[in-house]
């Protein structure tokens, strides 16, 4: 749990860097990958969690510019570049607009009373959840998966381990 703005910013920047590596690995062709015919595409999932950042922050009291035309999934490079800008803008907004005391304040979040620290942890978890979905679809699309919390299949192979330990 975050008790200070600094705590949140540290975690935000760490998770943003991991997410950026995933988004930088997308290709335009991979954006159409789906688990099943009616399911969201990889591009739709990635664009959803990227464009959700300003919506989420605004909902809970921060001022940050929304993404224009957020309903249309852009090219892979634009998804990655938009995330890079938004993750920076989000950190800046929190640093400039909130204080350590703000993180302890409680407000209604999705029908529950939550501290702002818990609400912002929810934003990170939302991104991590969808990042996991994106990596599965990337694997199905034949893309290499960058390491996130440990080596991916490709990372293990580069280390000379054909079958990672169980």
């Amino acid at each position: 749990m975050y008790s200070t703005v600094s705590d949140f910013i540290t975690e935000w920047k760490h998770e943003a860097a991991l997410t950026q590596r995933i988004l930088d690995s997308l290709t335009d062709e991979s954006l159409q990958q789906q688990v099943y015919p009616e399911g969201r595409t990889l591009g739709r999932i990635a664009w959803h969690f990227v464009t959700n950042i300003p919506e989420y922050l605004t909902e809970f009291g921060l001022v940050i510019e929304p993404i224009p035309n957020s309903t249309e999934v852009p090219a892979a490079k634009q998804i990655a570049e938009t995330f890079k800008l938004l993750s920076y803008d989000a950190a800046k907004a929190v640093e400039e607009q909130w204080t350590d005391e703000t993180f302890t304040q409680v407000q209604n979040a999705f029908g529950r009373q939550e501290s702002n620290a818990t609400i912002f942890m929810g934003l990170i978890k939302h991104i991590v959840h969808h990042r996991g979905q994106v990596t599965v679809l990337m694997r199905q699309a034949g893309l290499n998966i960058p390491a996130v919390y440990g080596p991916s299949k490709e990372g293990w192979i580069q280390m000379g381990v054909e079958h990672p330990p169980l």
Side-chain angles (χ1 to χ4, degrees):
M1 181 67 69
Y2 317 110
S3 57
T4 67
V5 169
S6 178
D7 291 344
F8 172 76
I9 296 301
T10 298
E11 182 75 2
W12 178 260
K13 287 180 179 180
H14 174 73
E15 291 298 330
L18 296 173
T19 302
Q20 190 68 55
R21 292 173 50 189
I22 297 297
L23 295 176
D24 286 342
S25 299
L26 298 178
T27 64
D28 290 338
E29 298 76 28
S30 70
L31 297 182
Q32 297 309 310
Q33 185 67 42
Q34 294 173 283
V35 172
Y36 57 95
E38 301 84 29
R40 289 182 183 174
T41 63
L42 186 161
R44 173 61 58 203
I45 294 168
W47 192 233
H48 159 71
F49 76 73
V50 169
T51 59
N52 183 252
I53 295 168
E55 294 169 7
Y56 195 99
L57 295 176
T58 300
E59 176 71 22
F60 296 108
L62 288 164
V63 177
I64 186 169
E65 288 295 316
I67 302 299
N69 303 317
S70 64
T71 58
E72 299 297 321
V73 177
K77 185 174 182 177
Q78 187 178 348
I79 292 172
E81 288 177 6
T82 301
F83 180 79
K84 183 183 284 185
L85 291 172
L86 279 176
S87 62
Y88 173 81
D89 288 348
K92 185 176 175 189
V94 171
E95 286 176 321
E96 291 177 354
Q97 298 174 38
W98 281 21
T99 65
D100 294 347
E101 183 181 309
T102 309
F103 266 75
T104 64
Q105 295 172 353
V106 174
Q107 60 177 308
N108 186 342
F110 311 110
R112 298 180 308 270
Q113 294 297 333
E114 302 279 4
S115 72
N116 284 333
T118 301
I119 291 168
F120 277 70
M121 184 171 46
L123 174 59
I124 289 176
K125 287 180 177 183
H126 177 251
I127 293 169
V128 168
H129 161 73
H130 287 305
R131 186 176 69 204
Q133 292 176 319
V134 165
T135 59
V136 169
L137 291 168
M138 288 172 69
R139 176 70 68 213
Q140 290 180 336
L143 298 180
N144 289 336
I145 311 296
V148 177
Y149 296 127
S152 62
K153 177 180 90 172
E154 294 81 10
W156 283 109
I157 291 170
Q158 287 176 349
M159 292 187 294
V161 179
E162 193 169 325
H163 300 286
L166 299 176

